[in-house]
Amino acid sequence: MPAKEPGVANVCGHAAEHMAKARIALDGESLDTGRALEHLDEAISCLQGLSRRGKAPKAKDGNTVVAFQPAKNRDSDRRSA
């Protein structure tokens, strides 16, 4: 049985936790830019994973369906009618 992916709220919560920890690492006297960057990287990773989940899978057979707008009436079309 495949592992169930965490929900959107859960992933966003993890990203927010890392953002808060990055902010704490940059706040006050114990400025730790390295730690802050690690947390920012983790937050970005969480959100990228969420973004990848939202993308539609590509067609496997190579066929692509493209929808076109209806043709606009052109002056030349009106004259010939």
Side-chain angles (χ1 to χ4, degrees), residues 55-66:
K55 292 182 181 176
K58 293 183 179 183
K60 293 180 181 177
D61 61 2
N63 294 329
T64 304
V65 176
V66 179

Side-chain angles (χ1 to χ4, degrees), residues 2-60:
K4 186 177 179 184
E5 292 183 355
V8 173
N10 199 8
V11 173
C12 290
H14 287 300
E17 286 175 20
H18 284 293
M19 293 294 294
K21 289 177 181 179
R23 187 175 186 135
I24 290 168
L26 293 174
D27 200 22
E29 295 175 13
S30 61
L31 182 69
D32 188 352
T33 55
R35 189 79 177 133
L37 286 174
E38 288 174 11
H39 283 297
L40 291 174
D41 285 343
E42 286 296 321
I44 290 169
S45 178
C46 289
L47 297 175
Q48 284 176 333
L50 190 61
S51 174
R52 281 190 297 272
R53 270 202 280 171
K55 292 182 181 176
K58 293 183 179 183
K60 293 180 181 177

